[in-house]
Amino acid sequence: MMATLGPLGVFDSGIGGLSIVREIRRQLPTADILYVADQAHVPYGPRPLEQVRAFSEGITRFLLDRGAPLIVVACNTASAAALVRLRGIFPAVPFVGMEPAVKPAAETSRTGVVGVLATPATFQGELFASVVERFAQGIRLVNRTAPGLVECIEAGDLDGPEPRRLLETALEPILAEGADTLVLACTHYPFVIPLIEDIVGPGVRVIDPSPAIARQTERMLVSLGVPSKSHPGTLRMATSGNPARLAKMSSSLTGETARCEALRWQDGRLGLAEPA
């Protein structure tokens, strides 16, 4: 039996990782979770990779200081940019990262054409290149970005004219190439799946990565010997942005009200903000 541990650590640049939290809560209802949103720097997608690595390291140290037994990097951009670095800096820490779901897409595509919707940084990272090399042989990938879509989702606009316009622009080339499967390689995007499905129609399978990430998280917690509880787990959140706004968005997106604290970056380190 392990000593008392802190909550499972989950982080993203903003609210996107709540799509992962929502699924972890569904599959692991007794797990305690501390979710960190670095909303002072959202979105990570257009930022230099080295900057994303620095943010990811700072957040990881914050979560480890609170006893996290495992850290879920619930951000495709941070996973692509920083996962290898994080595992090198913290070799004893188990990480669950976001790997674009190219493998299941390639295995189930009937046309052999798969669309991938992601941020520029995700496409630039070594992780995506590795996934393509391992799983996309014989498959044609149509890679597209949707600049501005993360900002719409962060603002709570999930089905308005602007996110529809951005998605139609991004998805049109994918549909024109005959793709029958769409990989969502950004954790923000599951929140607009209804809109995406309305645009692509019933002939295109949309892959939400959240269930697979939750299952991997459960497997790793079991392998670590982290004991489960008989009572429901807690959800706490912290943000370098507006805590009240994150709490409101979390309630809307996950159906769960959670306490949210304010964070502040100082000299490359992340800590709780001093009360005003």
Side-chain angles (χ1 to χ4, degrees):
M1 187 67 68
M2 299 183 67
T4 301
L5 296 169
L8 170 67
V10 185
F11 77 87
D12 181 30
S13 63
I15 65 172
L18 290 174
S19 64
I20 304 299
V21 169
R22 180 174 63 183
E23 190 61 34
I24 292 175
R25 298 292 281 166
R26 186 176 293 132
Q27 294 189 30
L28 298 170
T30 66
D32 295 326
I33 299 174
L34 173 56
Y35 180 72
V36 170
D38 187 18
Q39 292 177 294
H41 298 126
V42 68
Y44 278 0
R47 291 182 177 275
L49 299 184
E50 196 57 42
Q51 194 175 57
V52 176
R53 291 179 184 123
F55 296 152
S56 299
E57 180 182 343
I59 297 169
T60 295
R61 292 189 186 280
F62 175 85
L63 290 169
L64 292 177
D65 286 346
R66 278 140 191 86
L70 179 150
I71 292 178
V72 180
V73 184
C75 173
N76 287 82
T77 298
S79 294
L83 201 54
V84 171
R85 171 83 62 87
L86 292 175
R87 286 173 171 154
I89 296 173
F90 308 101
V93 177
F95 288 91
V96 176
M98 301 297 303
E99 182 177 273
V102 170
K103 180 180 180 181
E107 291 172 344
T108 58
S109 174
R110 301 178 307 278
T111 65
V113 183
V114 172
V116 182
L117 200 58
T119 66
T122 295
F123 287 133
Q124 294 165 12
E126 294 177 7
L127 180 60
F128 184 74
S130 171
V131 168
V132 171
E133 182 179 351
R134 285 180 288 149
F135 303 125
Q137 301 305 313
I139 294 292
R140 185 149 53 94
L141 296 181
V142 185
N143 301 334
R144 295 291 294 176
T145 62
L149 183 57
V150 167
E151 289 89 336
C152 285
I153 296 169
E154 284 286 322
D157 185 2
L158 308 182
D159 57 3
E162 183 62 7
R164 176 176 286 274
R165 183 188 69 80
L166 294 171
L167 280 167
E168 286 176 344
T169 300
L171 295 172
E172 182 181 2
I174 292 174
L175 296 175
E177 292 290 333
D180 66 349
T181 309
L182 178 64
V183 174
L184 302 183
C186 172
T187 54
H188 281 77
Y189 297 166
F191 291 126
V192 291
I193 284 179
L195 183 54
I196 291 172
E197 290 180 334
D198 185 60
I199 294 169
V200 302
V204 176
R205 178 191 177 207
V206 180
I207 299 182
D208 178 357
S210 307
I213 297 300
R215 288 193 296 272
Q216 176 64 5
T217 300
E218 181 177 22
R219 284 192 291 267
M220 292 190 72
L221 287 173
V222 169
S223 71
L224 289 169
V226 176
S228 60
K229 308 190 301 295
S230 59
H231 53 85
T234 60
L235 173 60
R236 291 168 45 214
M237 298 186 299
T239 178
S240 57
N242 185 318
R245 179 162 181 75
L246 178 60
K248 182 178 179 180
M249 289 295 293
S250 173
S251 178
S252 172
L253 296 172
T254 70
E256 186 170 0
T257 302
R259 171 184 163 206
C260 188
E261 297 179 290
L263 301 174
R264 184 180 66 174
W265 287 98
Q266 186 170 9
D267 300 325
R269 296 189 65 85
L270 188 64
L272 293 174
E274 295 293 332

